[in-house]
Every structure is written in structure tokens, then in C-alpha cells.
PDB file of all heavy atoms in Angstrom:
ATOM      1  N   ARG H 232      -2.125   3.327  -1.174  1.00 84.00           N
ATOM      2  CA  ARG H 232      -1.241   4.032  -0.241  1.00 84.00           C
ATOM      3  C   ARG H 232      -0.707   5.314  -0.869  1.00 84.00           C
ATOM      4  O   ARG H 232      -0.607   6.355  -0.216  1.00 84.00           O
ATOM      5  CB  ARG H 232      -0.083   3.125   0.177  1.00 84.00           C
ATOM      6  CG  ARG H 232       0.823   3.787   1.217  1.00 84.00           C
ATOM      7  CD  ARG H 232       1.876   2.831   1.714  1.00 84.00           C
ATOM      8  NE  ARG H 232       1.267   1.640   2.246  1.00 84.00           N
ATOM      9  CZ  ARG H 232       1.821   0.425   2.182  1.00 84.00           C
ATOM     10  NH1 ARG H 232       2.976   0.254   1.592  1.00 84.00           N
ATOM     11  NH2 ARG H 232       1.208  -0.599   2.702  1.00 84.00           N
ATOM     12  N   CYS H 233      -0.342   5.244  -2.158  1.00 87.00           N
ATOM     13  CA  CYS H 233       0.130   6.443  -2.850  1.00 87.00           C
ATOM     14  C   CYS H 233      -0.962   7.504  -2.897  1.00 87.00           C
ATOM     15  O   CYS H 233      -0.693   8.694  -2.706  1.00 87.00           O
ATOM     16  CB  CYS H 233       0.581   6.094  -4.270  1.00 87.00           C
ATOM     17  SG  CYS H 233       2.106   5.141  -4.361  1.00 87.00           S
ATOM     18  N   ALA H 234      -2.198   7.070  -3.145  1.00 86.00           N
ATOM     19  CA  ALA H 234      -3.308   8.019  -3.177  1.00 86.00           C
ATOM     20  C   ALA H 234      -3.489   8.678  -1.813  1.00 86.00           C
ATOM     21  O   ALA H 234      -3.783   9.885  -1.722  1.00 86.00           O
ATOM     22  CB  ALA H 234      -4.594   7.306  -3.607  1.00 86.00           C
ATOM     23  N   ALA H 235      -3.305   7.909  -0.745  1.00 82.00           N
ATOM     24  CA  ALA H 235      -3.422   8.471   0.602  1.00 82.00           C
ATOM     25  C   ALA H 235      -2.319   9.483   0.873  1.00 82.00           C
ATOM     26  O   ALA H 235      -2.553  10.527   1.498  1.00 82.00           O
ATOM     27  CB  ALA H 235      -3.391   7.350   1.641  1.00 82.00           C
ATOM     28  N   ILE H 236      -1.093   9.192   0.403  1.00 82.00           N
ATOM     29  CA  ILE H 236       0.015  10.133   0.581  1.00 82.00           C
ATOM     30  C   ILE H 236      -0.270  11.433  -0.153  1.00 82.00           C
ATOM     31  O   ILE H 236      -0.023  12.537   0.362  1.00 82.00           O
ATOM     32  CB  ILE H 236       1.334   9.502   0.082  1.00 82.00           C
ATOM     33  CG1 ILE H 236       1.738   8.347   0.997  1.00 82.00           C
ATOM     34  CG2 ILE H 236       2.450  10.548   0.031  1.00 82.00           C
ATOM     35  CD1 ILE H 236       2.915   7.548   0.480  1.00 82.00           C
ATOM     36  N   ILE H 237      -0.804  11.327  -1.374  1.00 81.00           N
ATOM     37  CA  ILE H 237      -1.143  12.524  -2.143  1.00 81.00           C
ATOM     38  C   ILE H 237      -2.203  13.343  -1.414  1.00 81.00           C
ATOM     39  O   ILE H 237      -2.123  14.576  -1.343  1.00 81.00           O
ATOM     40  CB  ILE H 237      -1.617  12.132  -3.554  1.00 81.00           C
ATOM     41  CG1 ILE H 237      -0.449  11.570  -4.366  1.00 81.00           C
ATOM     42  CG2 ILE H 237      -2.230  13.324  -4.276  1.00 81.00           C
ATOM     43  CD1 ILE H 237      -0.845  10.992  -5.707  1.00 81.00           C
ATOM     44  N   SER H 238      -3.193  12.664  -0.851  1.00 79.00           N
ATOM     45  CA  SER H 238      -4.228  13.378  -0.091  1.00 79.00           C
ATOM     46  C   SER H 238      -3.628  14.080   1.120  1.00 79.00           C
ATOM     47  O   SER H 238      -4.005  15.212   1.449  1.00 79.00           O
ATOM     48  CB  SER H 238      -5.324  12.397   0.357  1.00 79.00           C
ATOM     49  OG  SER H 238      -6.005  11.863  -0.750  1.00 79.00           O
ATOM     50  N   ASP H 239      -2.672  13.420   1.777  1.00 76.00           N
ATOM     51  CA  ASP H 239      -1.998  14.050   2.924  1.00 76.00           C
ATOM     52  C   ASP H 239      -1.230  15.293   2.489  1.00 76.00           C
ATOM     53  O   ASP H 239      -1.213  16.313   3.188  1.00 76.00           O
ATOM     54  CB  ASP H 239      -1.046  13.057   3.587  1.00 76.00           C
ATOM     55  CG  ASP H 239      -1.772  11.981   4.367  1.00 76.00           C
ATOM     56  OD1 ASP H 239      -2.967  12.165   4.649  1.00 76.00           O
ATOM     57  OD2 ASP H 239      -1.148  10.950   4.681  1.00 76.00           O
ATOM     58  N   LEU H 240      -0.568  15.210   1.325  1.00 75.00           N
ATOM     59  CA  LEU H 240       0.162  16.372   0.817  1.00 75.00           C
ATOM     60  C   LEU H 240      -0.783  17.522   0.519  1.00 75.00           C
ATOM     61  O   LEU H 240      -0.483  18.686   0.806  1.00 75.00           O
ATOM     62  CB  LEU H 240       0.944  15.984  -0.443  1.00 75.00           C
ATOM     63  CG  LEU H 240       2.189  15.116  -0.232  1.00 75.00           C
ATOM     64  CD1 LEU H 240       2.749  14.666  -1.570  1.00 75.00           C
ATOM     65  CD2 LEU H 240       3.244  15.864   0.560  1.00 75.00           C
ATOM     66  N   LEU H 241      -1.935  17.216  -0.052  1.00 75.00           N
ATOM     67  CA  LEU H 241      -2.913  18.261  -0.348  1.00 75.00           C
ATOM     68  C   LEU H 241      -3.452  18.872   0.945  1.00 75.00           C
ATOM     69  O   LEU H 241      -3.671  20.086   1.024  1.00 75.00           O
ATOM     70  CB  LEU H 241      -4.056  17.697  -1.195  1.00 75.00           C
ATOM     71  CG  LEU H 241      -3.701  17.383  -2.647  1.00 75.00           C
ATOM     72  CD1 LEU H 241      -4.862  16.664  -3.344  1.00 75.00           C
ATOM     73  CD2 LEU H 241      -3.353  18.659  -3.410  1.00 75.00           C
ATOM     74  N   ASP H 242      -3.653  18.024   1.959  1.00 71.00           N
ATOM     75  CA  ASP H 242      -4.089  18.551   3.255  1.00 71.00           C
ATOM     76  C   ASP H 242      -3.043  19.500   3.830  1.00 71.00           C
ATOM     77  O   ASP H 242      -3.375  20.504   4.466  1.00 71.00           O
ATOM     78  CB  ASP H 242      -4.344  17.403   4.240  1.00 71.00           C
ATOM     79  CG  ASP H 242      -5.605  16.628   3.913  1.00 71.00           C
ATOM     80  OD1 ASP H 242      -6.450  17.167   3.169  1.00 71.00           O
ATOM     81  OD2 ASP H 242      -5.738  15.483   4.382  1.00 71.00           O
ATOM     82  N   PHE H 243      -1.765  19.171   3.608  1.00 67.00           N
ATOM     83  CA  PHE H 243      -0.673  20.002   4.115  1.00 67.00           C
ATOM     84  C   PHE H 243      -0.717  21.404   3.503  1.00 67.00           C
ATOM     85  O   PHE H 243      -0.333  22.387   4.145  1.00 67.00           O
ATOM     86  CB  PHE H 243       0.663  19.330   3.804  1.00 67.00           C
ATOM     87  CG  PHE H 243       1.865  20.176   4.131  1.00 67.00           C
ATOM     88  CD1 PHE H 243       2.269  20.354   5.437  1.00 67.00           C
ATOM     89  CD2 PHE H 243       2.584  20.803   3.125  1.00 67.00           C
ATOM     90  CE1 PHE H 243       3.380  21.127   5.739  1.00 67.00           C
ATOM     91  CE2 PHE H 243       3.692  21.580   3.415  1.00 67.00           C
ATOM     92  CZ  PHE H 243       4.083  21.742   4.725  1.00 67.00           C
ATOM     93  N   THR H 244      -1.159  21.508   2.251  1.00 68.00           N
ATOM     94  CA  THR H 244      -1.182  22.808   1.573  1.00 68.00           C
ATOM     95  C   THR H 244      -2.349  23.668   2.021  1.00 68.00           C
ATOM     96  O   THR H 244      -2.368  24.868   1.737  1.00 68.00           O
ATOM     97  CB  THR H 244      -1.250  22.623   0.049  1.00 68.00           C
ATOM     98  OG1 THR H 244      -2.503  22.004  -0.315  1.00 68.00           O
ATOM     99  CG2 THR H 244      -0.105  21.771  -0.441  1.00 68.00           C
ATOM    100  N   ARG H 245      -3.321  23.060   2.675  1.00 66.00           N
ATOM    101  CA  ARG H 245      -4.477  23.825   3.140  1.00 66.00           C
ATOM    102  C   ARG H 245      -4.227  24.276   4.570  1.00 66.00           C
ATOM    103  O   ARG H 245      -4.195  23.477   5.496  1.00 66.00           O
ATOM    104  CB  ARG H 245      -5.742  22.978   3.071  1.00 66.00           C
ATOM    105  CG  ARG H 245      -6.040  22.432   1.672  1.00 66.00           C
ATOM    106  CD  ARG H 245      -7.378  21.703   1.666  1.00 66.00           C
ATOM    107  NE  ARG H 245      -7.610  21.057   0.399  1.00 66.00           N
ATOM    108  CZ  ARG H 245      -7.486  19.748   0.183  1.00 66.00           C
ATOM    109  NH1 ARG H 245      -7.151  18.969   1.198  1.00 66.00           N
ATOM    110  NH2 ARG H 245      -7.711  19.233  -1.003  1.00 66.00           N
ATOM    111  N   ILE H 246      -4.046  25.550   4.745  1.00 62.00           N
ATOM    112  CA  ILE H 246      -3.792  26.095   6.072  1.00 62.00           C
ATOM    113  C   ILE H 246      -5.135  26.359   6.749  1.00 62.00           C
ATOM    114  O   ILE H 246      -5.888  27.247   6.353  1.00 62.00           O
ATOM    115  CB  ILE H 246      -2.967  27.389   5.995  1.00 62.00           C
ATOM    116  CG1 ILE H 246      -1.632  27.112   5.297  1.00 62.00           C
ATOM    117  CG2 ILE H 246      -2.743  27.971   7.383  1.00 62.00           C
ATOM    118  CD1 ILE H 246      -0.791  28.336   5.077  1.00 62.00           C
ATOM    119  N   CYS H 247      -5.436  25.542   7.750  1.00 66.00           N
ATOM    120  CA  CYS H 247      -6.714  25.665   8.460  1.00 66.00           C
ATOM    121  C   CYS H 247      -6.443  26.074   9.908  1.00 66.00           C
ATOM    122  O   CYS H 247      -5.483  25.602  10.519  1.00 66.00           O
ATOM    123  CB  CYS H 247      -7.463  24.331   8.438  1.00 66.00           C
ATOM    124  SG  CYS H 247      -7.842  23.728   6.774  1.00 66.00           S
ATOM    125  N   PRO H 248      -7.290  26.929  10.446  1.00 74.00           N
ATOM    126  CA  PRO H 248      -7.106  27.320  11.850  1.00 74.00           C
ATOM    127  C   PRO H 248      -7.364  26.134  12.775  1.00 74.00           C
ATOM    128  O   PRO H 248      -8.221  25.284  12.499  1.00 74.00           O
ATOM    129  CB  PRO H 248      -8.156  28.420  12.052  1.00 74.00           C
ATOM    130  CG  PRO H 248      -9.194  28.147  11.003  1.00 74.00           C
ATOM    131  CD  PRO H 248      -8.449  27.588   9.833  1.00 74.00           C
ATOM    132  N   LEU H 249      -6.581  26.052  13.843  1.00 77.00           N
ATOM    133  CA  LEU H 249      -6.792  24.993  14.818  1.00 77.00           C
ATOM    134  C   LEU H 249      -8.087  25.224  15.579  1.00 77.00           C
ATOM    135  O   LEU H 249      -8.442  26.351  15.901  1.00 77.00           O
ATOM    136  CB  LEU H 249      -5.617  24.939  15.795  1.00 77.00           C
ATOM    137  CG  LEU H 249      -4.252  24.576  15.207  1.00 77.00           C
ATOM    138  CD1 LEU H 249      -3.191  24.637  16.303  1.00 77.00           C
ATOM    139  CD2 LEU H 249      -4.276  23.206  14.569  1.00 77.00           C
ATOM    140  N   GLU H 250      -8.786  24.154  15.856  1.00 84.00           N
ATOM    141  CA  GLU H 250     -10.012  24.221  16.648  1.00 84.00           C
ATOM    142  C   GLU H 250      -9.730  23.545  17.987  1.00 84.00           C
ATOM    143  O   GLU H 250      -9.949  22.352  18.165  1.00 84.00           O
ATOM    144  CB  GLU H 250     -11.164  23.540  15.904  1.00 84.00           C
ATOM    145  CG  GLU H 250     -11.506  24.222  14.575  1.00 84.00           C
ATOM    146  CD  GLU H 250     -12.677  23.579  13.878  1.00 84.00           C
ATOM    147  OE1 GLU H 250     -13.286  22.650  14.462  1.00 84.00           O
ATOM    148  OE2 GLU H 250     -13.005  24.000  12.752  1.00 84.00           O
ATOM    149  N   MET H 251      -9.238  24.340  18.911  1.00 89.00           N
ATOM    150  CA  MET H 251      -8.789  23.816  20.191  1.00 89.00           C
ATOM    151  C   MET H 251      -9.964  23.621  21.146  1.00 89.00           C
ATOM    152  O   MET H 251     -10.914  24.409  21.158  1.00 89.00           O
ATOM    153  CB  MET H 251      -7.764  24.749  20.811  1.00 89.00           C
ATOM    154  CG  MET H 251      -6.586  25.093  19.904  1.00 89.00           C
ATOM    155  SD  MET H 251      -5.602  23.654  19.476  1.00 89.00           S
ATOM    156  CE  MET H 251      -4.838  23.297  21.059  1.00 89.00           C
ATOM    157  N   ALA H 252      -9.869  22.567  21.934  1.00 92.00           N
ATOM    158  CA  ALA H 252     -10.883  22.300  22.950  1.00 92.00           C
ATOM    159  C   ALA H 252     -10.259  21.445  24.044  1.00 92.00           C
ATOM    160  O   ALA H 252      -9.313  20.689  23.795  1.00 92.00           O
ATOM    161  CB  ALA H 252     -12.094  21.599  22.341  1.00 92.00           C
ATOM    162  N   SER H 253     -10.786  21.560  25.241  1.00 93.00           N
ATOM    163  CA  SER H 253     -10.322  20.759  26.361  1.00 93.00           C
ATOM    164  C   SER H 253     -11.109  19.456  26.395  1.00 93.00           C
ATOM    165  O   SER H 253     -12.342  19.460  26.493  1.00 93.00           O
ATOM    166  CB  SER H 253     -10.506  21.530  27.677  1.00 93.00           C
ATOM    167  OG  SER H 253     -10.059  20.756  28.767  1.00 93.00           O
ATOM    168  N   LEU H 254     -10.384  18.325  26.292  1.00 93.00           N
ATOM    169  CA  LEU H 254     -11.038  17.020  26.220  1.00 93.00           C
ATOM    170  C   LEU H 254     -10.375  16.047  27.185  1.00 93.00           C
ATOM    171  O   LEU H 254      -9.160  16.098  27.390  1.00 93.00           O
ATOM    172  CB  LEU H 254     -10.948  16.451  24.799  1.00 93.00           C
ATOM    173  CG  LEU H 254     -11.628  17.246  23.682  1.00 93.00           C
ATOM    174  CD1 LEU H 254     -11.260  16.643  22.322  1.00 93.00           C
ATOM    175  CD2 LEU H 254     -13.132  17.239  23.863  1.00 93.00           C
ATOM    176  N   PRO H 255     -11.145  15.126  27.763  1.00 95.00           N
ATOM    177  CA  PRO H 255     -10.535  14.048  28.561  1.00 95.00           C
ATOM    178  C   PRO H 255      -9.817  13.086  27.624  1.00 95.00           C
ATOM    179  O   PRO H 255     -10.454  12.339  26.891  1.00 95.00           O
ATOM    180  CB  PRO H 255     -11.737  13.408  29.263  1.00 95.00           C
ATOM    181  CG  PRO H 255     -12.914  13.739  28.395  1.00 95.00           C
ATOM    182  CD  PRO H 255     -12.611  15.055  27.755  1.00 95.00           C
ATOM    183  N   ILE H 256      -8.498  13.099  27.660  1.00 95.00           N
ATOM    184  CA  ILE H 256      -7.714  12.398  26.646  1.00 95.00           C
ATOM    185  C   ILE H 256      -7.957  10.893  26.661  1.00 95.00           C
ATOM    186  O   ILE H 256      -7.999  10.252  25.596  1.00 95.00           O
ATOM    187  CB  ILE H 256      -6.207  12.733  26.801  1.00 95.00           C
ATOM    188  CG1 ILE H 256      -5.403  12.192  25.618  1.00 95.00           C
ATOM    189  CG2 ILE H 256      -5.678  12.217  28.128  1.00 95.00           C
ATOM    190  CD1 ILE H 256      -5.725  12.833  24.307  1.00 95.00           C
ATOM    191  N   ASP H 257      -8.131  10.300  27.840  1.00 96.00           N
ATOM    192  CA  ASP H 257      -8.344   8.848  27.899  1.00 96.00           C
ATOM    193  C   ASP H 257      -9.665   8.463  27.228  1.00 96.00           C
ATOM    194  O   ASP H 257      -9.729   7.488  26.471  1.00 96.00           O
ATOM    195  CB  ASP H 257      -8.329   8.364  29.347  1.00 96.00           C
ATOM    196  CG  ASP H 257      -6.948   8.454  29.973  1.00 96.00           C
ATOM    197  OD1 ASP H 257      -5.970   8.616  29.219  1.00 96.00           O
ATOM    198  OD2 ASP H 257      -6.853   8.369  31.219  1.00 96.00           O
ATOM    199  N   ARG H 258     -10.712   9.215  27.512  1.00 96.00           N
ATOM    200  CA  ARG H 258     -12.002   8.920  26.892  1.00 96.00           C
ATOM    201  C   ARG H 258     -11.947   9.162  25.391  1.00 96.00           C
ATOM    202  O   ARG H 258     -12.489   8.379  24.604  1.00 96.00           O
ATOM    203  CB  ARG H 258     -13.103   9.785  27.519  1.00 96.00           C
ATOM    204  CG  ARG H 258     -14.511   9.440  27.031  1.00 96.00           C
ATOM    205  CD  ARG H 258     -15.531  10.444  27.519  1.00 96.00           C
ATOM    206  NE  ARG H 258     -15.475  10.611  28.969  1.00 96.00           N
ATOM    207  CZ  ARG H 258     -16.095  11.585  29.625  1.00 96.00           C
ATOM    208  NH1 ARG H 258     -16.783  12.503  28.955  1.00 96.00           N
ATOM    209  NH2 ARG H 258     -16.010  11.662  30.930  1.00 96.00           N
ATOM    210  N   TRP H 259     -11.261  10.230  24.985  1.00 96.00           N
ATOM    211  CA  TRP H 259     -11.127  10.544  23.558  1.00 96.00           C
ATOM    212  C   TRP H 259     -10.381   9.425  22.834  1.00 96.00           C
ATOM    213  O   TRP H 259     -10.774   8.987  21.750  1.00 96.00           O
ATOM    214  CB  TRP H 259     -10.404  11.878  23.410  1.00 96.00           C
ATOM    215  CG  TRP H 259     -10.183  12.324  22.004  1.00 96.00           C
ATOM    216  CD1 TRP H 259     -11.055  13.015  21.212  1.00 96.00           C
ATOM    217  CD2 TRP H 259      -9.002  12.133  21.211  1.00 96.00           C
ATOM    218  NE1 TRP H 259     -10.498  13.253  19.974  1.00 96.00           N
ATOM    219  CE2 TRP H 259      -9.241  12.720  19.949  1.00 96.00           C
ATOM    220  CE3 TRP H 259      -7.770  11.514  21.450  1.00 96.00           C
ATOM    221  CZ2 TRP H 259      -8.291  12.711  18.929  1.00 96.00           C
ATOM    222  CZ3 TRP H 259      -6.823  11.498  20.436  1.00 96.00           C
ATOM    223  CH2 TRP H 259      -7.086  12.092  19.194  1.00 96.00           C
ATOM    224  N   LEU H 260      -9.286   8.936  23.433  1.00 96.00           N
ATOM    225  CA  LEU H 260      -8.544   7.826  22.849  1.00 96.00           C
ATOM    226  C   LEU H 260      -9.401   6.565  22.780  1.00 96.00           C
ATOM    227  O   LEU H 260      -9.360   5.817  21.794  1.00 96.00           O
ATOM    228  CB  LEU H 260      -7.280   7.544  23.662  1.00 96.00           C
ATOM    229  CG  LEU H 260      -6.125   8.528  23.499  1.00 96.00           C
ATOM    230  CD1 LEU H 260      -5.067   8.285  24.580  1.00 96.00           C
ATOM    231  CD2 LEU H 260      -5.495   8.403  22.116  1.00 96.00           C
ATOM    232  N   GLY H 261     -10.190   6.341  23.824  1.00 96.00           N
ATOM    233  CA  GLY H 261     -11.043   5.149  23.847  1.00 96.00           C
ATOM    234  C   GLY H 261     -12.042   5.130  22.708  1.00 96.00           C
ATOM    235  O   GLY H 261     -12.258   4.089  22.069  1.00 96.00           O
ATOM    236  N   VAL H 262     -12.664   6.279  22.441  1.00 95.00           N
ATOM    237  CA  VAL H 262     -13.630   6.364  21.332  1.00 95.00           C
ATOM    238  C   VAL H 262     -12.922   6.119  20.002  1.00 95.00           C
ATOM    239  O   VAL H 262     -13.428   5.388  19.133  1.00 95.00           O
ATOM    240  CB  VAL H 262     -14.323   7.738  21.338  1.00 95.00           C
ATOM    241  CG1 VAL H 262     -15.158   7.915  20.067  1.00 95.00           C
ATOM    242  CG2 VAL H 262     -15.202   7.886  22.578  1.00 95.00           C
ATOM    243  N   MET H 263     -11.738   6.714  19.831  1.00 94.00           N
ATOM    244  CA  MET H 263     -10.993   6.522  18.583  1.00 94.00           C
ATOM    245  C   MET H 263     -10.633   5.051  18.392  1.00 94.00           C
ATOM    246  O   MET H 263     -10.748   4.503  17.291  1.00 94.00           O
ATOM    247  CB  MET H 263      -9.733   7.378  18.593  1.00 94.00           C
ATOM    248  CG  MET H 263      -8.919   7.281  17.298  1.00 94.00           C
ATOM    249  SD  MET H 263      -7.327   8.151  17.421  1.00 94.00           S
ATOM    250  CE  MET H 263      -6.493   7.138  18.651  1.00 94.00           C
ATOM    251  N   LEU H 264     -10.216   4.392  19.458  1.00 95.00           N
ATOM    252  CA  LEU H 264      -9.840   2.981  19.370  1.00 95.00           C
ATOM    253  C   LEU H 264     -11.060   2.101  19.114  1.00 95.00           C
ATOM    254  O   LEU H 264     -10.962   1.079  18.416  1.00 95.00           O
ATOM    255  CB  LEU H 264      -9.133   2.542  20.651  1.00 95.00           C
ATOM    256  CG  LEU H 264      -7.755   3.181  20.889  1.00 95.00           C
ATOM    257  CD1 LEU H 264      -7.223   2.796  22.268  1.00 95.00           C
ATOM    258  CD2 LEU H 264      -6.769   2.762  19.811  1.00 95.00           C
TER     259      LEU H 264
END
């Protein structure tokens, strides 16, 4: 868990542009689940 937190902190320091797209949220949630 600590290693995951450290990885999250490192991700926070990397400023990446958002990749926006229009998606059907219900279907997107279903695939993730």
C-alpha cells in the first residue's frame, strides 16, 4: 500500500495533458467493473 501511495505521488508530479473524449458513461463503467 505504501508503494502504491508513492506511485500516486509520483504520478501527481507528472503534469500530463488531459485526453478528453465523449463516452457513454454507463457502458464505460460496466467495462471497468
